[in-house]
Amino acid sequence: MTERNPIAANSSSPDSDFSSQQWSFELSDYMSFADIELQQVDPTANNQSFVYQANEIAGGSSNIEGSSSYTRDTNTTMSGTALTQGTYWKNEVNKRVAFKTMTEIEILDDGYRWRKYGKKMVKNSPNPRNYYRCSVEGCPVKKRVEKDKDDSRYVITTYEGLHTHSTSS
DNA sequence: CGAATTTGACCAGCGC
DNA sequence: GCGCTGGTCAAATTCG
């Protein structure tokens, strides 16, 4: 875990901003975690793409309720042309992961084929939230993509579920 | 021609 | 009990 956040350190967003109330508030607002014990993701995998990690820690999905504690960690990876400044939350039970990605492209090719099945305007953000689902039949993986309400250059991606097939793009 | 997107409608859970 | 918000469906449409 030697990599920190080159973006935050070198842009106008200091580290404090990266893990401050702004973040916690926005994500926790629509991401509630059960009141259980959480486990931190091993950041040594930051050589891999964020997709790989998401697949690792993501699993089944179920209804989530309550929000008392959660584990937050940061990570930075490179995925093609997109630099992922990942801050993700892991929940052992619900297996839901959120990433905040700095990219100029909205559609990030993470190796999987996603089929959009919905778009919704959220109250907290002027930007719409997009709902995607893995195109592979039987694959329960879902994903939400939403632009950051403050910085449109940031994209919040939330993965839910585990891919039961090999990567194909 | 087949497959993926779009967009509004529909439904369920929660709060007031 | 009603209204609001978030999430999903599904028919029509567009794209390759």
Side-chain angles (χ1 to χ4, degrees):
Chain A
M1 176 181 67
T2 51
E3 290 189 45
R4 203 46 192 100
N5 298 304
I7 311 175
N10 130 44
S11 73
S12 56
S13 357
D15 182 68
S16 54
D17 170 71
F18 188 61
S19 57
S20 65
Q21 65 285 355
Q22 176 190 20
W23 252 98
S24 310
F25 172 74
E26 291 181 11
L27 278 175
S28 62
D29 186 56
Y30 53 81
M31 286 183 63
S32 307
F33 294 90
D35 182 17
I36 59 162
E37 197 59 45
L38 295 150
Q39 190 176 333
Q40 199 156 19
V41 181
D42 188 354
T44 54
N46 59 9
N47 284 330
Q48 310 293 334
S49 69
F50 68 93
V51 180
Y52 176 78
Q53 293 175 34
N55 191 37
E56 276 255 310
I57 57 187
S61 62
S62 59
N63 196 24
I64 299 177
E65 54 183 52
S67 61
S68 297
S69 61
Y70 55 87
T71 299
R72 181 181 64 214
D73 199 0
T74 58
N75 192 13
T76 304
T77 61
M78 264 295 218
S79 177
T81 51
L83 179 58
T84 298
Q85 187 180 45
T87 293
Y88 48 92
W89 283 255
K90 183 191 178 186
N91 180 307
E92 277 298 315
V93 172
N94 298 298
K95 314 281 167 54
R96 183 177 287 189
V97 204
F99 284 94
K100 187 181 188 182
T101 305
M102 177 186 245
T103 176
E104 294 176 22
I105 341 167
E106 272 187 59
I107 322 288
L108 289 167
D109 182 22
D110 49 19
Y112 292 100
R113 187 158 200 85
W114 302 94
R115 139 179 143 265
K116 181 186 286 188
Y117 67 89
K119 178 165 77 177
K120 198 75 182 211
M121 285 296 242
V122 287
K123 198 97 194 200
N124 240 348
S125 171
N127 305 313
R129 178 183 300 169
N130 296 294
Y131 298 87
Y132 296 90
R133 208 170 177 180
C134 191
S135 300
V136 179
E137 178 76 25
C139 192
V141 181
K142 283 179 287 188
K143 151 182 164 183
R144 290 171 224 173
V145 179
E146 178 187 355
K147 279 194 200 164
D148 190 286
K149 101 176 164 63
D150 293 318
D151 304 290
S152 52
R153 51 182 180 268
Y154 286 112
V155 172
I156 299 172
T157 306
T158 306
Y159 288 91
E160 198 172 321
L162 173 66
H163 289 286
T164 57
H165 54 92
S166 54
T167 309
S168 61
S169 63

